[in-house]
Amino acid sequence: MTPIGIHDLELATTHHVLSLTTLAEANGTDPDKYRLGIGQDEMSMPAPDEDIVTMGAAAALPLLERNGIEGIRTLLVATESGLDQSKAAGVWIHQLLGLPAGVRTVELKQACYSATAALQAAVGILSRSPQEKVLVIAADVARYELDSPGEPTQGAGAVAMLVSANPALVEIEPVSGVHTADVDDFWRPNDSSTAVVDGALSIRAYLDALTGAWDDLAAQGGPDLGSIERIVYHQPFTKMAKKAQQRLARHAGGEIAADGLETGSVYNRRLGNTYAASLYASLAALLDHEQDLAGKRVGLFSYGSGSVSEFLTGIVAPGYADSARARRVLEVLDARVPLEVAEYRELHATELPSGVDVQTPRVTKAPFRFTGIQGRARQYERTSG
Ligand code: CAA
């Protein structure tokens, strides 16, 4: 069987960042609660001219520059932060990237899980048409109400993945474990720009979904825990990966090396929650910070509240390590402009007025910007950046 999987991947985030120490000092919380208790240092925050389209296109642009557009016939955008009830965000991204008309473009939604559905759909398409390539983009802005328990677990970012036959990074193995359960742990009603969440229930639901997906993987004839070198997890906050790993080791009755928890959390600690992109930001961090994974099996646990989860595995390709990628991600993270708490709160509270034309202020230095709304339609441009 032709190996199919992630050939190349790139991460993008926002113009702004809020340090969680700054937030803790402003709201009278011990900064260690955020740093150690939930395992977060910073959270990305979009400027008014940034959204999932600008981040998603920014993540995908270098992939196209490195690999060309030849063979791309499918563009899948996975997000919880949909911008329109009808139009797929990928259609704007398709135009911004200058992709040809001969592309099928669609948006996938199931909270933070949808990027994994997109990746599996890509693998399915390529099993039939291995000469093609699929561009998968996961992009989200995680927003909770100001002063709520969820506030320090916000964030924003995008991961773009080029999926192909004979991939240079990770081959996705054919067997995976899946799990669906109707649970009201986290959702976002149509009239709300922030999520509704029951924090304690969401943690329990995540851990139950993990064991459910693991049991299904075992029932499908998946690999033993002992043959998985590292596991990366969906990370609403990085402490969640630790809780997950402990639960899985107890449930499956085995040891899992703890090393991957730290390396797989390097980017997530600084991005905050990126919903659909979170698991793949963790995979990027693992590949960028461990040099010895060629030929080894990695596990990926994808969780989307509500809930749908999947435990899949992949084999890391020889020659996957690329120090330039790690350097690029650090530059992107370091380039973010820090916000004071008052500025963050004002930005958070700003909502676009409904039904009128709007021009956004020019803030982002990213290659694409959201310029505003005309005749109720969102407008974008490529900048010189
Ligand atoms: N020093 C060190 N640690 C401290 C501390 C201090 N001074 N003070 C508290 N802590 C620790 C606590 O002991 C606790 O650790 P454990 O979980 O290991 O017991 C941790 O910090 C958090 O403390 P609390 O439980 O008191 O925190 P909280 O009530 O303020 O809320 C939260 C935490 C539930 C994660 C909340 O931020 C939240 O609701 N976040 C959004 C929901 C979420 O992310 N859920 C995750 C699963 S759902 C999912 O994965 C989908 C998704 O992306 C949303």
Side-chain angles (χ1 to χ4, degrees):
M1 210 190 314
T2 313
I4 297 170
I6 304 168
H7 182 67
D8 198 0
L9 122 176
E10 193 76 40
L11 197 146
T13 187
T14 57
H15 183 74
H16 291 299
V17 62
L18 181 67
S19 147
L20 289 192
T21 302
T22 307
L23 179 65
E25 281 163 0
N27 66 18
T29 301
D30 177 352
D32 278 352
K33 173 171 177 182
Y34 296 161
R35 202 168 56 82
L36 305 172
I38 61 170
Q40 291 301 129
D41 296 328
E42 297 173 343
M43 57 192 198
S44 286
M45 179 86 189
D49 53 352
E50 293 178 320
D51 63 18
I52 56 160
V53 166
T54 62
M55 288 190 294
L61 184 63
L63 294 188
L64 304 191
E65 288 170 349
R66 285 200 290 275
N67 301 279
I69 59 171
E70 205 184 327
I72 299 178
R73 287 184 51 78
T74 305
L75 167 55
L76 305 176
V77 175
T79 187
E80 182 272 5
S81 324
L83 296 168
D84 191 276
Q85 296 284 17
S86 171
K87 185 169 180 168
V91 176
W92 288 298
I93 295 178
H94 172 276
Q95 188 268 333
L96 289 171
L97 293 174
L99 289 172
V103 172
R104 67 169 74 80
T105 302
V106 75
E107 184 170 314
L108 291 89
K109 176 175 70 179
Q110 174 33 54
C112 314
Y113 165 71
S114 55
T116 302
L119 176 60
Q120 292 290 29
V123 171
I125 290 167
L126 298 177
S127 305
R128 190 146 182 189
S129 308
Q131 75 287 0
E132 295 185 8
K133 291 176 185 163
V134 179
L135 181 56
V136 171
I137 298 174
D140 262 312
V141 178
R143 269 171 66 84
Y144 297 95
E145 276 183 33
L146 291 172
D147 306 316
S148 69
E151 184 178 26
T153 64
Q154 298 176 108
V159 172
M161 297 182 273
L162 193 63
V163 184
S164 75
N166 303 310
L169 293 181
V170 180
E171 172 192 349
I172 301 298
E173 293 193 283
V175 177
S176 72
V178 290
H179 185 81
T180 293
D182 184 4
V183 50
D184 291 336
D185 62 329
F186 164 108
W187 68 102
R188 188 162 67 78
N190 278 349
D191 60 356
S192 179
S193 68
T194 52
V196 183
V197 62
D198 177 337
L201 174 63
S202 73
I203 292 172
R204 285 199 306 277
Y206 176 118
L207 296 174
D208 291 347
L210 169 63
T211 54
W214 176 262
D215 289 346
D216 189 54
L217 180 71
Q220 301 298 316
D224 322 328
L225 198 54
S227 73
I228 303 179
E229 188 75 16
R230 297 279 186 267
I231 303 178
V232 285
Y233 300 88
H234 166 60
Q235 296 189 28
F237 49 95
T238 69
K239 175 73 145 319
M240 193 68 225
K242 283 193 187 149
K243 290 178 190 284
Q245 185 130 307
Q246 280 163 5
R247 168 67 77 90
L248 185 61
R250 245 191 351 262
H251 180 77
E255 292 271 307
I256 312 171
D259 310 30
L261 283 179
E262 201 163 313
T263 45
S265 294
V266 174
Y267 300 153
N268 300 64
R269 284 193 77 93
R270 300 190 61 190
L271 290 165
N273 196 352
T274 54
Y275 291 163
S278 162
L279 170 64
Y280 297 95
S282 176
L283 177 65
L286 182 81
L287 298 177
D288 289 354
H289 293 87
E290 298 215 21
Q291 312 306 315
D292 230 1
L293 293 176
K296 306 262 172 69
R297 175 174 285 130
V298 293
L300 295 91
F301 176 64
S302 180
Y303 176 71
S305 287
S307 74
V308 180
S309 62
E310 182 160 348
F311 200 111
L312 60 159
T313 59
I315 305 293
V316 179
Y320 75 95
D322 174 8
S323 55
R325 193 177 50 234
R327 222 176 18 254
R328 282 196 303 274
V329 176
L330 281 185
E331 277 168 19
V332 162
L333 292 170
D334 290 346
R336 291 171 302 169
V337 176
L339 289 167
E340 293 303 326
V341 170
E343 296 170 312
Y344 148 72
R345 289 179 72 90
E346 195 184 330
L347 206 50
H348 191 288
T350 306
E351 303 240 358
L352 287 172
S354 172
V356 291
D357 288 358
V358 180
Q359 266 198 332
T360 55
R362 186 176 286 276
V363 181
T364 186
K365 301 276 189 294
F368 305 100
R369 58 183 294 273
F370 164 52
T371 58
I373 297 185
Q374 269 171 34
R376 304 209 68 182
R378 295 178 81 88
Q379 309 294 321
Y380 293 90
E381 70 178 10
R382 183 163 182 170
T383 67
S384 54

